[in-house]
């Protein structure tokens, strides 16, 4: 029932929706979103979505508004009122007070002929035929519809603002989401050790370098340029093929032209490259010079995966 109600919402979108988006976009103030009961909870979520996508918003509970919180509303603010019926007592008291202050009102309601619908500057029709609740009482389908309309508003505003992933990262610096958007390879590789050997380094010293740097790999470098890579796997394969490796050097077992990534690349790009090539380490370059190693375990530890 809820999925069908969401599908039906697209047929209810009209010029009022576009005008509401333009009103918010051109406003010099914030968006104040209010509601009562379950609609208030939906209002809080829409506020969070708008704030995270570049539209400053504040939640104001409709009941608290008529007991002092009306002071939240400033002269240029746009007010969105959410109410299924549009006729709740709190809304009937609140709307005239908002209109008296000459703030513009956008209604998200399932009843466009309600008190709220008649008083609002723009109506976003959230009509649903029936709640998913078998008694048609508990707000379920109606709150889902309200939430979808709020998301639609946020995405339209995001689009016309040209809000990019870089902007998004500014508002989401914490957690895995933020790290995917701002964490760069150099942020990880710079804290790792930098295993490296030359092409003529003996195998014993190669093993020592890999063991001491604890990344399961070493670069093979000449004049600070990467020419190869040696992994734990390369060493194991060598042991199955050669009985006496005392005279072997790095160039005898290295893999030439290894996969590498620029230090300024995003960490998520390093993950995608590792997955594409089924490897667990990448050598890092900075302006063509060897700059270190980024390991799959580093990305796991940072929460990128």
């Amino acid at each position: 029932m809820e999925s069908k109600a969401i599908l039906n919402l697209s047929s209810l979108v009209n010029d009022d929706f576009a005008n509401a988006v333009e009103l918010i976009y051109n406003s010099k103030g914030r968006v104040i979103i209010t509601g009562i009961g379950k609609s208030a909870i939906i209002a809080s979520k829409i506020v969070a979505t708008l704030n995270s996508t570049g539209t400053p918003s504040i939640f104001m509970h409709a009941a608290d508004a008529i007991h002092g919180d009306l002071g939240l509303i400033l002269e240029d603010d746009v007010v969105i009122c959410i109410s299924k019926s549009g006729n709740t007592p709190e809304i009937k008291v609140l709307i005239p007070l908002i209109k008296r202050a000459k703030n513009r009102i956008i209604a998200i309601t399932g009843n466009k002929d309600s008190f709220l619908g008649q008083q609002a500057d723009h109506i976003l029709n959230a009509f649903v035929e029936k709640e998913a609740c078998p008694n048609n009482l508990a707000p379920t389908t109606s709150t889902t519809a309200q939430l979808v309309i709020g998301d639609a508003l946020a995405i339209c505003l995001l689009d016309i603002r040209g809000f990019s992933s870089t902007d998004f990262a500014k508002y989401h610096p914490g957690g895995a989401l933020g790290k995917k958007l701002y964490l760069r390879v150099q942020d990880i590789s710079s804290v790792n050790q930098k295993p490296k050997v030359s092409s003529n380094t003996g195998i014993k010293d190669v093993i020592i370098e890999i063991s001491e740097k604890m990344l399961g790999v070493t670069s093979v470098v000449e004049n600070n340029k990467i020419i190869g890579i040696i992994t734990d796997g390369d060493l194991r394969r060598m042991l199955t093929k050669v009985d006496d490796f005392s005279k072997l050097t790095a160039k005898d077992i290295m893999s030439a032209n290894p996969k590498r990534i620029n230090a300024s690349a995003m960490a998520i790009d390093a993950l995608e490259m590792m997955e594409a090539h089924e490897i667990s380490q990448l050598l890092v370059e900075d302006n063509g010079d060897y700059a270190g190693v980024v390991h799959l375990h580093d990305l796991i530890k940072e929460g990128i995966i």
Side-chain angles (χ1 to χ4, degrees):
M1 288 181 65
E2 292 186 1
S3 65
K4 289 179 180 178
I6 292 171
L7 285 174
N8 186 57
L9 287 180
S10 61
S11 67
L12 303 180
V13 174
N14 55 21
D15 288 345
D16 252 0
F17 183 89
N19 292 334
V21 172
E22 291 290 346
L23 173 62
I24 296 171
Y25 176 68
N26 293 318
S27 170
K28 295 179 181 178
R30 309 156 302 172
V31 176
I32 310 297
I33 309 184
T34 188
I36 197 82
K38 303 296 188 297
S39 295
I41 298 171
I42 296 299
S44 292
K45 190 275 177 186
I46 297 173
V47 164
T49 302
L50 288 172
N51 278 327
S52 69
T53 51
T55 300
S57 305
I58 296 175
F59 169 68
M60 179 183 70
H61 197 283
D64 293 334
I66 58 179
H67 292 285
D69 278 5
L70 268 175
L72 284 172
I73 306 176
L74 303 180
E75 181 179 352
D76 293 322
D77 291 344
V78 174
V79 180
I80 299 178
C81 292
I82 306 177
S83 172
K84 178 188 176 183
S85 71
N87 288 316
T88 58
E90 294 84 359
I91 292 294
K92 285 185 173 181
V93 173
L94 178 60
I95 294 302
L97 299 174
I98 297 172
K99 290 183 72 70
R100 188 171 67 187
K102 297 185 174 161
N103 292 91
R104 303 288 293 279
I105 299 173
I106 298 170
I108 299 179
T109 181
N111 183 3
K112 62 182 181 179
D113 296 321
S114 64
F115 178 82
L116 173 59
Q118 291 175 350
Q119 297 296 316
D121 296 286
H122 302 291
I123 302 172
L124 306 187
N125 195 344
F127 172 76
V128 297
E129 289 187 1
K130 190 178 179 181
E131 300 289 1
C133 164
N135 298 314
N136 195 29
L137 294 173
T140 46
T141 311
S142 59
T143 47
T144 301
Q146 293 165 358
L147 186 63
V148 170
I149 289 175
D151 285 343
L153 274 176
I155 298 307
C156 287
L157 288 163
L158 177 154
D159 184 60
I160 62 176
R161 290 187 197 284
F163 195 83
S164 67
S165 59
T166 301
D167 297 317
F168 201 79
K170 293 177 184 177
Y171 297 101
H172 297 79
L177 178 59
K179 289 182 178 180
K180 287 180 180 179
L181 293 169
Y182 76 81
L183 192 69
R184 298 188 181 274
V185 169
Q186 62 194 5
D187 298 326
I188 299 174
S189 63
S190 62
V191 299
N192 285 339
Q193 298 192 71
K194 291 173 59 177
K196 63 178 180 178
V197 296
S198 65
S199 60
N200 59 4
T201 300
I203 293 302
K204 179 180 178 180
D205 290 330
V206 170
I207 294 172
I208 291 172
E209 181 72 358
I210 293 176
S211 299
E212 287 183 346
K213 300 300 168 62
M214 298 183 296
L215 289 169
V217 67
T218 184
S219 62
V220 183
V221 176
E222 295 293 345
N223 299 318
N224 211 31
K225 305 294 183 183
I226 298 169
I227 63 170
I229 188 172
I230 300 174
T231 68
D232 283 337
D234 293 324
L235 294 177
R236 288 192 295 271
R237 284 186 288 274
M238 175 197 70
L239 291 174
T240 63
K241 296 177 181 178
V242 180
D243 292 327
D244 181 11
F245 56 84
S246 60
K247 295 182 181 180
L248 293 179
T249 61
K251 66 182 178 183
D252 296 320
I253 66 168
M254 74 178 190
S255 298
N257 300 314
K259 297 294 181 292
R260 61 196 82 184
I261 192 167
N262 196 279
S264 62
M266 304 305 294
I268 188 65
D269 294 333
L271 173 62
E272 290 174 357
M273 188 179 294
M274 289 181 192
E275 290 178 338
H277 297 285
E278 298 182 340
I279 56 179
S280 57
Q281 305 105 333
L282 283 173
L283 299 185
V284 181
E285 287 182 321
D286 188 4
N287 293 320
D289 291 332
Y290 173 59
V293 176
V294 59
H295 196 287
L296 180 64
H297 291 164
D298 299 324
L299 302 175
I300 294 173
K301 183 170 65 176
E302 291 290 345
I304 297 296
I305 301 177

